[in-house]
Amino acid sequence: MSDNSSNRIVIPLGPQHPALKEPGSFTLTLEGEKVVNAVIGIGYNHRGLEKALESRTYIQNLYMIERICGICSHTHSVAYCQAIEEMCGVEIPMRAKYIRVIIAELERLHSHLLWLGVAAHEIGFDTLFMYAWRDREMVLDMLAELCGNRVNYGINTLGGVRRDIDDNDAHEIKKILRVLHNQISYYLELATNEPTLIARLADVGKLNHDDALKFGAVGPVARAAGIANDVRKIEPYAAYDEVPVNVITDDHGDVLGRTLVRVKEMLESISIIRYCLDNLPAGEILAKVPRKVPAGEMISRTEAPRGENIHYINSDGSDIPYRIRVRAPSEANWHGMKHMLEGSFLADVPIAIAAIDPCYSCTDRAIFVNSDNGESRLYDWKGLREYSIKWHRDRGLNIADIQIPMAKNYIQIQRKTND
Amino acid sequence: MGIFKKLVSWGQKKSPWIIHFNAGACNGCDIEFIDSLTPKYDIERIGILQHGSPRHADILICTGAVTLQTRDRLIQIYEQMASPKYVIAVGTCACTGGIFNGCYCVMGGIDTTIPVDVYLPGCAVRPEAVIDAIDKLLNSNDKDKTKKKAKSDKQKEVSEESNEEKSDEQ
């Protein structure tokens, strides 16, 4: 796999990853340790979902549309439902809108905590990975309490939501949010003050303001580059026009910026949920929607944890949609990936890829051929991750040195809330 | 069962290494599987270790309906695993194709491509179910024991029945 004349090495990565999520493949061309070219291959998970949606009724599609992605299923079903409600000219009850916002923000919390864990794992900070995923369980417990399911909540239906939130639920959620708030504040402190972490994340996977605009980046990737692009603010849907939303931006434009944006967004999500629970309007949760949708077309946008999510629905007047198109946020962020990888070190590839929070994937094995002595090695994603951790350790950045003194605090906090 | 086979199955029960592959899932089952590795469920505490390379793994945890693109890769991974090897199909999609059955680029369940030992339905499966599936798989290894257990259970039932009969007579 090596080309002796130009001393370039080609590394194929993918498409199977031992630890996380979906398959995708990367072909990296190296010059020394620098990546000079990256080719991204996606589509391993293509299931023909849009075609399947066209052969089912609008009600059946509710369940199908949630299975686009198990992590951000709610945002897809919100986008779908509100497009159809608008086409039918139905105004859904305010209480249903608030409940949609609460679930959407809980989803953002669990998705960002998941990302924090994955990113920490990629840089070799496994303690934080375990802490973040432990805290994520609290969010999943809340979602299970409210919706009956930990993943694919099934709370949305055409015309509103299917389950109500009572005072008891609200009280329990607020109790858990207190613990969560303390934990996330600690992560923010860690990301802003810990010199090892900052040195490891700064200037990795750079995407500056102009490039982010050029490649059409969305979500935390765009906001970390200083673009205040948040659908919740620029085109409020559900109850976001009544709920105070602060758009978090950062001007780092690198992985550190994306970390800060995501952690701050989690705190913001908590305050949105609190506001919604305190100001939950009384009334119905469901409005009647006709089974047949009038002919026409509609575009609906929502802010998924990963960025702007766009649904296009075209109806021919029957009970089956003529065409549905889904533009998921990761799709927009892939375009800048090539730019982010080129010019970076091989050791920074895992975290740079993880930092856009792709519905991503990984690697079967990569062949590393040293062209000088013809020695060849086999890398899988795990091997590359270990290489990357070792590479940085040799340069004096040891993530394992970071002390996390919070296990004791955590137990105390839990005890307090139990009382 | 020869003594060597007995030894192997005894050894495998202690600490199986697992590998995870997403053959076209929605991520729900994958995340729930990863959840079972993290502190709340923590399958590592019972000796189950997640491993990256198929060559080191005993159990393939496979999620999602098989898409045309991942099909060859799935077969490759299965073939790279050393015998004895087991496959757990995690999630409804992995068992039968689920709601994706009939889509133009979906083969169907995992068993359309490779042999499956344990079917674990659910959308999405819960981490407890994953632990239970692995536990059931490991215990099914010990066929002699289960046979014996079935025998003793039968005997118990018989004796209980006879006891009941006796008590009825009394």
Side-chain angles (χ1 to χ4, degrees):
Chain A
M1 285 259 178
S2 68
D3 184 353
N4 281 331
S5 56
S6 63
N7 211 11
R8 284 189 173 187
I9 303 160
V10 178
I11 292 193
L13 276 178
Q16 180 255 335
H17 182 294
L20 303 153
K21 304 186 211 168
E22 293 164 293
S25 72
F26 305 90
T27 310
L28 306 173
T29 309
L30 297 186
E31 227 174 54
E33 286 193 348
K34 283 225 156 142
V35 179
V36 290
N37 189 20
V39 179
I40 294 158
I42 50 175
Y44 286 89
N45 261 7
H46 181 74
R47 290 155 290 176
L49 218 136
E50 287 174 12
K51 196 74 198 164
L53 290 168
E54 288 165 24
S55 61
R56 286 163 168 82
T57 64
Y58 286 103
I59 300 285
Q60 286 173 321
N61 279 343
L62 265 177
Y63 303 93
M64 194 97 190
I65 212 113
E66 286 213 313
R67 269 93 185 154
I68 289 175
C69 174
I71 302 176
C72 39
S73 60
H74 182 74
T75 190
H76 285 294
S77 73
V78 168
Y80 171 79
C81 287
Q82 68 191 19
I84 289 168
E85 283 148 11
E86 185 130 1
M87 285 165 96
C88 295
V90 175
E91 180 68 23
I92 71 165
M94 215 52 216
R95 190 175 176 86
K97 286 184 179 177
Y98 268 76
I99 293 174
R100 278 183 185 178
V101 168
I102 290 170
I103 304 293
E105 293 306 320
L106 282 173
E107 184 179 73
R108 198 180 312 280
L109 268 176
H110 105 74
S111 178
H112 282 353
L113 277 169
L114 182 150
W115 176 84
L116 187 69
V118 172
H121 174 71
E122 298 301 353
I123 58 171
F125 195 3
D126 272 333
T127 318
L128 183 60
F129 168 49
M130 290 298 176
Y131 274 123
W133 279 63
R134 182 197 60 191
D135 295 340
R136 185 176 161 268
E137 283 297 324
M138 289 192 267
V139 187
L140 289 184
D141 286 347
M142 287 191 270
L143 283 166
E145 189 72 31
L146 293 179
C147 316
N149 206 357
R150 290 155 51 92
V151 185
N152 299 337
Y153 324 108
I155 195 161
N156 279 326
T157 188
L158 300 178
V161 292
R162 296 166 16 146
R163 277 178 175 232
D164 206 353
I165 296 178
D166 60 23
D167 291 344
N168 198 12
D169 288 337
H171 181 68
E172 287 295 319
I173 290 172
K174 275 188 202 157
K175 234 159 72 171
I176 302 175
L177 284 181
R178 269 207 296 280
V179 182
L180 212 56
H181 188 272
N182 284 347
Q183 293 293 100
I184 293 167
S185 312
Y186 178 75
Y187 300 143
L188 183 62
E189 201 187 306
L190 201 70
T192 41
N193 296 332
E194 179 62 46
T196 321
L197 208 61
I198 293 170
R200 180 70 180 84
L201 298 179
D203 291 330
V204 175
K206 267 267 189 213
L207 193 69
N208 60 31
H209 182 272
D210 295 346
D211 286 335
L213 280 178
K214 193 171 103 190
F215 292 112
V218 294
V221 178
R223 291 198 282 278
I227 303 169
N229 177 6
D230 192 325
V231 183
R232 292 176 294 172
K233 195 80 183 174
I234 56 178
E235 195 190 298
Y237 58 97
Y240 283 115
D241 47 352
E242 293 185 5
V243 179
V245 180
N246 292 326
V247 180
I248 312 285
T249 55
D250 196 276
D251 48 8
H252 283 84
D254 51 14
V255 179
L256 179 65
R258 280 159 226 161
T259 312
L260 288 173
V261 165
R262 285 199 176 92
V263 175
K264 284 177 188 166
E265 266 179 20
M266 283 195 271
L267 292 174
E268 189 58 34
S269 285
I270 288 180
S271 64
I272 292 175
I273 296 169
R274 279 180 179 155
Y275 178 88
C276 287
L277 288 173
D278 289 337
N279 298 289
L280 200 58
E284 288 292 306
I285 54 166
L286 198 57
K288 201 165 166 50
V289 175
R291 194 161 285 196
K292 285 186 180 173
V293 176
E297 50 186 0
M298 184 64 65
I299 281 182
S300 161
R301 303 199 291 173
T302 56
E303 184 71 20
R306 290 167 178 73
E308 184 183 358
N309 173 34
I310 303 174
H311 281 221
Y312 166 79
I313 295 175
N314 190 332
S315 165
D316 56 0
S318 67
D319 59 347
I320 292 175
Y322 179 73
R323 176 85 174 93
I324 293 186
R325 165 89 181 107
V326 177
R327 207 296 309 269
S330 292
E331 204 177 321
N333 281 336
W334 276 122
H335 302 294
M337 194 71 242
K338 186 178 152 76
H339 180 80
M340 281 185 238
L341 290 181
E342 282 170 10
S344 71
F345 291 111
L346 177 64
D348 291 332
V349 168
I351 182 65
I353 294 174
I356 69 162
D357 198 6
C359 271
Y360 97 119
S361 65
C362 312
T363 163
D364 181 13
R365 55 192 181 274
I367 304 169
F368 183 86
V369 184
N370 189 333
S371 55
D372 292 339
N373 51 17
E375 173 201 348
S376 77
R377 255 185 298 161
L378 225 58
Y379 271 141
D380 54 10
W381 185 271
K382 196 177 168 197
L384 185 64
R385 180 183 152 261
E386 275 158 10
Y387 164 82
S388 119
I389 295 165
K390 189 176 170 295
W391 191 87
H392 279 279
R393 193 177 293 156
D394 293 345
R395 283 152 184 79
L397 264 182
N398 194 358
I399 302 285
D401 285 346
I402 301 176
Q403 299 291 324
I404 295 200
M406 66 178 172
K408 214 172 152 190
N409 291 343
Y410 179 75
I411 294 165
Q412 281 170 353
I413 295 162
Q414 271 215 324
R415 238 177 242 153
K416 259 183 215 162
T417 51
N418 286 340
D419 300 340
Chain B
M1 210 195 290
I3 193 142
F4 181 69
K5 268 192 176 172
K6 262 188 195 171
L7 197 66
V8 168
S9 87
W10 172 79
Q12 269 192 324
K13 257 185 83 170
K14 299 303 170 189
S15 177
W17 285 10
I18 50 181
I19 177 172
H20 166 229
F21 183 66
N22 177 338
C26 73
N27 254 346
C29 295
D30 307 75
I31 296 303
E32 291 293 78
F33 163 67
I34 307 286
D35 241 10
S36 64
L37 296 169
T38 53
K40 192 169 177 187
Y41 300 98
D42 198 10
I43 50 175
E44 280 183 12
R45 81 199 132 95
I46 41 179
I48 299 165
L49 203 66
Q50 144 125 49
H51 216 266
S53 168
R55 292 177 206 283
H56 298 156
D58 304 308
I59 302 173
L60 173 62
I61 295 225
C62 209
T63 55
V66 182
T67 62
L68 294 179
Q69 272 237 50
T70 51
R71 185 174 165 271
D72 294 344
R73 187 63 62 159
L74 182 60
I75 295 172
Q76 256 181 34
I77 288 171
Y78 185 73
E79 280 173 353
Q80 280 174 5
M81 287 169 68
S83 264
K85 52 193 168 187
Y86 305 97
V87 178
I88 303 180
V90 173
T92 307
C93 302
C95 295
T96 63
I99 55 169
F100 301 117
N101 213 346
C103 288
Y104 59 81
C105 60
V106 168
M107 301 281 299
I110 303 290
D111 55 5
T112 56
T113 310
I114 54 171
V116 173
D117 296 284
V118 178
Y119 294 87
L120 176 55
C123 185
V125 296
R126 294 180 72 101
E128 295 98 321
V130 176
I131 299 172
D132 187 47
I134 296 172
D135 179 57
K136 285 225 165 76
L137 176 70
L138 296 182
N139 284 327
S140 72
N141 264 354
D142 231 350
K143 274 179 188 153
D144 278 2
K145 228 180 195 174
T146 45
K147 265 185 199 165
K148 267 182 203 165
K149 207 188 162 213
K151 241 186 196 175
S152 62
D153 283 353
K154 237 184 191 178
Q155 277 171 352
K156 256 186 206 167
E157 275 170 30
V158 170
S159 59
E160 273 167 18
E161 272 172 23
S162 56
N163 281 343
E164 276 169 22
E165 275 168 22
K166 271 177 199 170
S167 60
D168 284 349
E169 280 166 18
Q170 283 167 359

